[in-house]
Amino acid sequence: MRYAFRALPVACAVAALTTLSLGGGPAPLPIRDDVPPTARLGGATTINDAGADAFGHLASNAPEPRRRDFALGSRLFAIAWVPYPDPVKIFDGLGPTFNRSSCAGCHAANGRGRPPERQGDPLDSMLIRLSDGEELTSPEAYGDQLNDRAIPGVPAEGKVVVRYEAVSGSYADGTPYTLLRPRIELTDLAHGPLDSPALSARVAPAVIGLGLLEAVPRATLEALADPDDSDGNGISGRINHLDPTGTVGRFGWKANVADIAHQVAAAAIGDMGLTTSMFPDQNCPPAQSACVAAAAEDGPEIGDSLLSRMVTAMRTVAVPAQRDADSTVVVAGFAAFTRFGCADCHVPTLATDATAALPELRNQTFHPFTDLLLHDMGDGLADGRPDHDASGSEWRTPPLWGLGLVPVVNGHDRLLHDGRARGFAEAILWHGGEAEAAREAFRMAERAEREALLAFLASL
């Protein structure tokens, strides 16, 4: 049975989840769909900033000594790395192939990436995952991600062209809409053609509230999961198990990463070609001879001390508060959000327990609007690329907090894993599979109710 803890008193929600994580105690508290969550979306970590720097703050409840590590980790996140060797040894080691030279190159201002504005423009905050099809097997000459940039003397792996196909539809009241279906083409491949690869475009997500999501107890995710749809509501969220021991994935578009340390280290090697103790080998498939032969530092290019500070910074980025939470239209929008069934996957309220890595993340009730589970989103959003237990049509429920501020922080409103949606309405209209009923409820609703839902989402 699926359940969630929504808009409950903090002590009750935390106590219930803590009891659940210990495997005993009373039955879970009932869902309160009729009461909206508090505007403090990040619990005690929440900050009040709706400006261009809204995603750049340390958690408001962090102890003062944390500020130094946060500042250094944030600087490392923003620094532009350079090829090895360089006189400034601490920041060299970029490449040999890469997508961007800094974390902030994709996550500008800790925010969200977007697809290219015009056909032929470079992928500045988007990348392309590769696989050989039904099994998660990387193309031998390219690996599992196309690196479209390279250091001098090494060829970039190729270029990407994104084209769009118009998909027309209409609401029940006759109002027309047009969606954009992306078509991905690889050109100028440096190491030979790819034989019918599965291509998956991915934009960079915002990096707010990650420490809270990391600290949600595994028992909570297991309780939210309903892989066989035992309650018959059409929603069958699944955990992405990453290895035979059952490690739980919770980060990445397909929940293919277990924790923030692995997320940071994997992005370092995959996106920037920077080695760490977790990923000590250069990102050079054997077929790429110039990449293999490129000069490289002996040992990790990001040492454990610097990696640790980057992880601490990512754990403690604050979540901005909801705006206009008590306005009539926002309250009506949350009611529509619940009535349409959006909250079945975008679970409003989760809680951490006392085992979180940092004190400021412990025993927090917060409102990310995600269950961190995999859901089949239908053929329209399918990329055909599996990832551990995730199928080619399954995606992790993305958190909704902060999305209303993306236009302010990042200057665009592109949503979904590949940025195809221009705003909330298009994102909803792309939902299929387990979310088809929710999409149709939105599409069939009266205009005023649709607009209220969009106002609620914009307030997050």
Side-chain angles (χ1 to χ4, degrees):
M1 179 182 72
R2 290 175 56 83
Y3 60 84
F5 302 91
R6 301 177 187 155
L8 299 168
V10 171
C12 294
V14 173
L17 281 172
T18 303
T19 300
L20 174 63
S21 71
L22 295 175
L29 293 169
I31 295 174
R32 291 292 304 277
D33 287 331
D34 58 324
V35 181
T38 171
R40 293 182 65 77
L41 301 180
T45 75
T46 306
I47 52 92
N48 294 304
D49 186 351
D53 296 326
F55 299 161
H57 297 279
L58 174 66
S60 63
N61 65 334
E64 186 60 31
R66 189 85 64 231
R67 195 165 300 280
R68 180 178 178 183
D69 279 349
F70 181 81
L72 177 54
S74 298
R75 183 189 176 202
L76 292 168
F77 192 83
I79 200 75
W81 295 74
V82 297
Y84 173 87
D86 186 82
V88 183
K89 298 294 298 175
I90 194 171
F91 297 132
D92 67 357
L94 177 69
T97 59
F98 59 97
N99 293 106
R100 292 304 299 264
S101 61
S102 70
C103 304
C106 284
H107 306 271
N110 284 351
R112 183 180 173 84
R114 60 169 300 162
E117 285 193 61
R118 294 173 296 274
Q119 184 175 308
D121 282 357
L123 273 62
D124 284 338
S125 53
M126 186 170 85
L127 56 82
I128 304 298
R129 296 278 190 215
L130 308 172
S131 73
D132 283 338
E134 294 184 1
E135 300 295 331
L136 184 59
T137 304
S138 302
E140 187 173 338
Y142 293 92
D144 68 354
Q145 179 173 318
L146 189 82
N147 290 135
D148 58 352
R149 292 168 170 84
I151 64 174
V154 176
E157 293 181 334
K159 296 180 181 177
V160 180
V161 176
V162 182
R163 297 184 174 89
Y164 290 97
E165 169 188 305
V167 179
S168 298
S170 63
Y171 293 100
D173 61 10
T175 303
Y177 60 77
T178 301
L179 307 179
L180 299 180
R181 186 192 307 276
R183 300 298 187 190
I184 309 298
E185 179 185 353
L186 305 182
T187 67
D188 300 328
L189 291 170
H191 308 287
L194 286 165
D195 184 19
S196 301
L199 307 178
S200 184
R202 310 283 179 86
V203 297
V207 294
I208 60 174
L210 299 186
L212 293 170
L213 298 175
E214 183 183 49
V216 173
R218 173 179 178 144
T220 301
L221 305 186
E222 291 172 341
L224 287 169
D226 185 15
D228 301 318
D229 191 18
S230 60
D231 59 7
N233 70 346
I235 307 298
S236 52
R238 301 195 306 124
I239 291 173
N240 194 356
H241 294 105
L242 306 183
D243 56 39
T245 69
T247 300
V248 171
R250 61 181 74 204
F251 295 111
W253 286 107
K254 286 183 179 271
N256 67 335
V257 180
D259 54 52
I260 296 172
H262 279 84
Q263 179 69 31
V264 172
I269 190 64
D271 302 348
M272 296 179 289
L274 295 167
T275 59
T276 61
S277 58
M278 291 185 183
F279 297 95
D281 298 325
Q282 294 292 332
N283 187 21
C284 295
Q288 298 187 23
S289 57
C291 183
V292 172
E297 187 171 350
D298 184 18
E301 290 153 342
I302 300 180
D304 286 346
S305 177
L306 296 185
L307 180 64
S308 174
R309 285 167 170 79
M310 293 175 73
V311 170
T312 295
M314 290 299 96
R315 278 188 174 135
T316 53
V317 178
V319 178
Q322 184 184 18
R323 283 82 54 210
D324 302 319
D326 296 327
S327 73
T328 300
V329 67
V330 169
V331 171
F334 178 73
F337 182 86
T338 301
R339 186 177 74 78
F340 293 166
C342 307
D344 288 343
C345 299
H346 291 283
V347 173
T349 303
L350 297 174
T352 68
D353 60 17
T355 66
L358 300 173
E360 56 266 40
L361 304 174
R362 296 170 189 161
N363 298 322
Q364 292 296 316
T365 297
F366 61 100
H367 311 290
F369 296 88
T370 178
D371 58 8
L372 297 175
L373 300 177
L374 297 172
H375 294 276
D376 191 326
M377 296 299 291
D379 292 340
L381 290 177
D383 65 351
R385 185 181 189 276
D387 206 328
H388 299 284
D389 282 352
S391 74
S393 59
E394 286 182 310
W395 301 93
R396 183 199 72 156
T397 306
L400 300 182
W401 55 12
L403 286 188
L405 290 173
V406 169
V408 177
V409 175
N410 299 118
H412 68 84
D413 64 353
R414 303 301 287 265
L415 301 173
L416 298 178
H417 66 279
D418 53 12
R420 69 177 70 185
R422 298 164 295 184
F424 293 116
E426 289 190 14
I428 296 168
L429 292 166
W430 270 113
H431 282 48
E434 295 175 45
E436 182 175 355
R439 178 199 71 203
E440 284 301 284
F442 173 74
R443 194 181 67 82
M444 299 293 289
E446 294 183 359
R447 184 186 189 99
E449 192 170 23
R450 299 198 308 266
E451 291 181 347
L453 173 60
L454 300 181
F456 165 70
L457 295 173
S459 77
L460 296 179

